[in-house]
Amino acid sequence: MNNMYGYARVSTKEQKEDRQLLALSEMRLPERNIYVDKQSGKDFERPMYKRLLKRLKEDDVLYIKSIDRLGRNYEEILEQWRVLTREKKVDIVVLDMPLLDTRRGKDLMGTFLSDIVLQVLSFVAENERKNIRERQKEGIEAARLRGVKFGRPSKPLPENFGQMSRKWMAGEISGRMAADLCGMPLTSFRRRSRTFSEDMG
């Protein structure tokens, strides 16, 4: 008897996999047969996916919410599809795209159509990711031009910082002593002193 499995992946630990899990649960899959990775597609080191691959046997059925859960780009998605359908000989059901259901049309024409749809969708998924990255870059650049600062906010300076910074700049005390008196690392003290003197100037 063939077993049914589900696989979900989110790119970061902050993202929630609820939407994918909800879709998989509607297929009435046994909970122990649903595998979830919280891992970026960038390096594709996905422990749960590897564990799932070991369990899959011929004629098992794998459900995924969308095609881009299989890989980080066009080539990776096609490669994983090939491994699953040709090497493992399992069926794949893509819930967001009913056309991608290898249980249907096992004849040559069905396989041909499925492969065409897969290639088109893989290309579209990768293209969309590239567009998102491009839009993010453009948004960040536009924000920078507006004067928006990124990164963690700087810690407030100690009360004696201005005095110690001026003494260090004047050569009255060493940078190490000034940093110690301010309770700051030397590199931070020097960097903040330069910014401080530019702002004061």
Side-chain angles (χ1 to χ4, degrees):
M1 181 180 166
N2 59 337
N3 289 311
M4 298 192 301
Y5 295 89
Y7 177 70
R9 175 176 65 81
V10 289
S11 299
T12 66
K13 288 186 167 56
E14 287 73 35
Q15 283 184 312
K16 298 292 181 197
E17 67 279 6
D18 297 359
R19 197 170 57 89
Q20 294 176 61
L21 290 180
L22 182 62
L24 292 173
S25 68
E26 287 173 0
M27 297 297 105
R28 303 191 183 282
L29 305 177
E31 199 171 316
R32 67 179 181 280
N33 286 4
I34 296 177
Y35 290 75
V36 182
D37 274 310
K38 292 193 177 185
Q39 185 79 28
S40 167
K42 185 173 62 177
D43 51 26
F44 223 60
E45 279 300 312
R46 302 183 297 168
M48 297 308 288
Y49 183 73
K50 288 179 178 176
R51 197 177 294 180
L52 169 64
L53 277 180
K54 286 180 183 173
R55 275 194 71 184
L56 286 169
K57 293 183 175 55
E58 188 172 344
D59 292 329
D60 285 346
V61 182
L62 174 63
Y63 290 85
I64 53 174
K65 174 94 169 80
S66 57
I67 191 66
D68 60 355
R69 299 304 85 194
L70 278 184
R72 57 191 165 180
N73 56 37
Y74 178 69
E75 290 82 12
E76 188 84 65
I77 292 168
L78 291 175
E79 173 60 16
Q80 293 305 315
W81 189 274
R82 186 192 64 76
V83 167
L84 290 162
T85 59
R86 308 273 161 82
E87 292 181 18
K88 288 287 191 177
K89 293 183 170 55
V90 302
D91 280 311
I92 305 176
V93 179
V94 181
L95 299 175
D96 278 356
M97 180 55 61
L99 274 172
L100 286 178
D101 181 345
T102 61
R103 296 171 304 178
R104 300 176 188 164
K106 293 276 189 180
D107 59 4
L108 188 61
M109 182 55 74
T111 304
F112 175 68
L113 288 173
S114 179
D115 282 352
I116 287 177
V117 173
L118 171 68
Q119 293 204 34
V120 170
L121 287 176
S122 300
F123 174 77
V124 168
E126 183 181 4
N127 211 41
E128 180 58 21
R129 274 193 295 275
K130 283 180 181 171
N131 287 340
I132 288 169
R133 282 198 295 270
E134 198 55 44
R135 286 196 294 270
Q136 284 173 337
K137 277 185 197 167
E138 288 169 1
I140 289 168
E141 189 54 36
R144 278 207 179 104
L145 291 172
R146 291 197 311 271
V148 176
K149 291 193 168 131
F150 293 92
R152 287 183 302 180
S154 300
K155 286 184 182 176
L157 294 168
E159 286 182 18
N160 64 342
F161 178 81
Q163 182 188 1
M164 294 302 113
S165 182
R166 283 190 288 274
K167 285 193 171 190
W168 173 60
M169 293 280 191
E172 295 174 22
I173 57 174
S174 69
R176 169 64 61 196
M177 182 181 287
D180 287 346
L181 288 168
C182 288
M184 297 172 69
L186 179 57
T187 51
S188 297
F189 175 80
R190 285 177 175 161
R191 178 172 49 79
R192 300 291 293 274
S193 286
R194 290 188 193 102
T195 309
F196 182 75
S197 64
E198 285 168 12
D199 291 344
M200 295 300 286

